[in-house]
Amino acid sequence: MTAASQARRRRKADDLQIVALERGRHISYSACGIPYWISGVVPSVDDLVVRTPAEFRADYDIEVRLGHEAVGLDLARREVLVRDHDEGRELRIGFDQLVLATGAVPLRPRLPGIAAAGVFGVQTLDDGEAVRAALDGPLDGRGPARRVVVVGGGYIGLELAEAFVQRGLEVTVVEAAAAPMASLDPDMGGLVARAVERLGITLRCGEPARAVEVGPDGRVRAVLTTECEIPADLVVLGLGVRPATVLAADAGIRVGVTGGIVTDAQMRTVSHEGVWAAGDCVETVNRVSLAPTAVALGTHANKQGRVAGINIGGGYATFPGVVGTAVTKICDLEVARTGLRERDADEAGFRFVTAVVESTTRAGYFPGAEPITVKLLAEKRSGRLLGAQIVGREGAAKRIDVLAATLWNEMTVEEIAGLDLSYAPPFAPVWDPVLIAARKAWDAVEADVAAHER
Ligand SMILES: Cc1cc2nc3c(=O)[nH]c(=O)nc-3n(C[C@H](O)[C@H](O)[C@H](O)COP(=O)(O)OP(=O)(O)OC[C@H]3O[C@@H](n4cnc5c(N)ncnc54)[C@H](O)[C@@H]3O)c2cc1C
């Protein structure tokens, strides 16, 4: 919808007719807010919706067709084959320009019982509504849900686990790796694990789920891990997502090594003229490792949609790639990352040092000072920042934005240590944790150089 509205800003309705097809019941909403609506922090589902189809028609002259699924692309005839679920019919819609923004789909491992009723992946608002309905109403013949198992301890799994705890449910998170939040290094993930357990969530790490046990009513009854059986009324999958590219791939549109559609910087598919792609369904480039990457984040989806829309509208814009910045909150614990983890840096062929510092978010004596841990990775010899991770309490996470900006500009940790960052006791210690971490990382770079010179 961002692409559609950007194109409309530049080309009026008599010049460009825009039709948006959505197979579900909602458009233009914040999927990022779903966990907060499930918990009740956000009171109404309507609060998550930015603009309705009626508003798109009235304000932008964009026709939105809900319940319309694109089931095939005939690129030679420039037509989309569409299934209208409400009317139960199929139709073809012609196009001059086509934007693919099909998003991502939650990973569903091939486990016995995974298709049982009561097993949910949460990607769209329709998915969120299905989970809310299962929580709000009694389960057929079983009373209200009491126990939830979340399979996968990534950020979506943990945000949902927190939401379930806030609703008074008994929650277990099953995670195959040794620590949750695989987007962090395991040492930083360990800090998250302790916070999750303090919330009253049972965290079972190093225990992959191996089956879903199904009751005689066809509903999930338990999750079996390699170690035990965990009773469950609901199971939510938080195993990550993959780009939704079946439609594109079936039509011969080029899909890259990450599974995302390959585009150029203007968001044009590289294989087909007049076909664009944006959002979770595409791959982009990581500016640090220079490798292709598929990152399912709303911040990129919005920017890419804007770029596609501007270009379709006759303007010029490009998407510059990503550095891998992300932030989340699990209760009062803030978690943020940018750039490469140790594993990524190894894979990209970098030699690096690491520095971890513990500090406070405000001057230590100031009321409300909270703990913060900052970890930096810097390239050996050059000292260039390669990655950063932050775990802490209120005021910790958004410090990642300074590090993301320095990473983007390929600054060294020595340069970062000298940055003119703001200071007053209610906001930071006199040496901000970012500066202390950069100084420590630079010490490590120098020590490494000295060790090699000896
Ligand atoms: C629980 C949750 C929390 C999140 N939190 C954050 C966050 O804090 N920060 C952040 O940056 N990102 C977050 N994200 C990710 C963010 O929501 C996505 O990256 C973003 O929505 C992607 O936008 P998109 O337009 O590419 O795809 P979507 O928003 O997924 O939209 C794709 C749409 O296409 C429809 N569709 C798919 N195939 C077809 C078809 N064949 N025909 C018709 N319609 C079709 C789908 O029904 C869907 O509505 C979160 C996601 C979830 C699920």
Side-chain angles (χ1 to χ4, degrees):
M1 297 317 298
T2 308
S5 36
Q6 284 296 328
R8 170 61 74 233
R9 274 174 213 262
R10 286 165 181 78
R11 291 176 66 181
K12 299 296 162 224
D14 52 6
D15 174 34
L16 184 71
Q17 185 195 355
I18 304 178
V19 178
L21 304 172
E22 166 57 53
R23 68 178 167 204
R25 307 308 322 170
H26 300 280
I27 54 151
S28 197
Y29 56 82
S30 168
C32 317
I34 293 172
Y36 308 103
W37 172 56
I38 289 178
S39 71
V41 168
V42 174
S44 161
V45 69
D46 296 337
D47 296 332
L48 301 182
V49 176
V50 183
R51 225 172 257 119
T52 62
E55 287 167 328
F56 269 105
R57 173 172 285 288
D59 301 343
Y60 289 88
D61 232 319
I62 292 171
E63 183 188 340
V64 177
R65 297 198 193 170
L66 297 181
H68 281 60
E69 181 170 5
V71 290
L73 303 176
D74 185 341
L75 295 177
R77 297 173 66 174
R78 301 195 87 67
E79 286 178 345
V80 183
L81 185 62
V82 181
R83 187 165 300 139
D84 173 351
H85 289 288
D86 295 340
E87 300 291 330
R89 59 175 184 145
E90 288 206 344
L91 60 154
R92 285 174 170 263
I93 299 179
F95 63 84
D96 299 311
Q97 306 285 330
L98 175 70
V99 180
L100 296 170
T102 43
V105 284
L107 293 175
R108 244 175 208 264
R110 289 172 182 272
L111 299 179
I114 193 92
V119 180
F120 297 92
V122 179
Q123 184 61 21
T124 62
L125 198 47
D126 296 294
D127 297 336
E129 284 183 321
V131 172
R132 265 295 292 247
L135 292 174
D136 291 344
L139 304 171
D140 298 340
R142 287 213 214 164
R146 284 189 303 111
R147 296 162 303 194
V148 182
V149 174
V150 177
V151 180
Y155 86 96
I156 291 183
L158 293 184
E159 285 179 4
L160 289 166
E162 177 190 344
F164 298 135
V165 164
Q166 286 175 340
R167 290 181 63 114
L169 293 148
E170 210 177 284
V171 185
T172 304
V173 175
V174 174
E175 166 60 54
M181 291 291 290
S183 55
L184 303 179
D185 286 326
D187 54 336
M188 298 295 276
L191 302 177
V192 178
R194 284 198 281 285
V196 168
E197 283 164 344
R198 274 198 301 272
L199 270 177
I201 294 171
T202 305
L203 184 60
R204 303 192 71 97
C205 289
E207 263 186 56
R210 60 179 177 82
V212 171
E213 199 178 282
V214 186
D217 55 359
R219 296 192 60 87
V220 54
R221 197 165 63 181
V223 171
L224 306 179
T225 72
T226 47
E227 306 294 318
C228 66
E229 176 179 325
I230 310 162
D233 302 312
L234 287 189
V235 174
V236 173
L237 303 175
L239 293 162
V241 296
R242 61 176 169 75
T245 53
V246 173
L247 192 64
D250 284 353
I253 292 168
R254 192 162 137 209
V255 168
V257 287
T258 65
I261 297 169
V262 182
T263 70
D264 66 9
Q266 290 190 44
M267 309 311 300
R268 296 182 294 210
T269 61
V270 293
S271 50
H272 289 80
E273 177 117 21
V275 181
W276 310 70
D280 287 359
C281 63
V282 304
E283 71 177 28
T284 183
V285 66
N286 182 303
R287 292 171 62 103
V288 187
S289 66
L290 304 180
T293 180
V295 186
L297 283 177
T299 174
H300 309 319
N302 274 288
K303 292 187 189 103
Q304 291 168 343
R306 180 171 177 276
V307 165
I310 289 173
N311 292 321
I312 291 168
Y316 172 67
T318 55
F319 183 73
V322 303
V323 291
T325 311
V327 66
T328 188
K329 188 175 84 61
I330 297 116
C331 247
D332 56 355
L333 191 78
E334 299 184 353
V335 181
R337 54 148 290 149
T338 190
L340 308 182
R341 299 164 297 180
E342 293 194 32
R343 176 157 39 111
D344 309 319
D346 276 330
E347 277 171 15
F350 288 111
R351 295 196 182 157
F352 58 92
V353 295
T354 62
V356 180
V357 300
E358 287 173 11
S359 180
T360 51
T361 53
R362 303 175 176 189
Y365 57 80
F366 200 87
E370 296 283 0
I372 174 171
T373 305
V374 180
K375 175 173 182 174
L376 300 186
L377 274 70
E379 189 184 18
K380 284 188 176 180
R381 251 194 335 240
S382 74
R384 177 187 158 199
L385 182 68
L386 295 176
Q389 295 161 39
I390 296 177
V391 176
R393 298 193 183 270
E394 192 177 3
K398 282 300 268 181
R399 284 178 157 96
I400 205 72
D401 289 340
V402 169
L403 292 163
T406 60
L407 185 67
W408 189 279
N409 287 296
E410 301 184 10
M411 289 174 71
T412 67
V413 283
E414 184 187 24
E415 289 169 321
I416 297 168
L419 280 179
D420 179 12
L421 300 187
S422 60
Y423 160 67
F427 300 101
V430 67
W431 284 94
D432 192 276
V434 164
L435 299 178
I436 308 173
R439 222 173 51 199
K440 191 168 172 192
W442 180 242
D443 288 347
V445 172
E446 287 200 310
D448 176 70
V449 170
H452 280 88
E453 281 171 356
R454 268 203 297 276

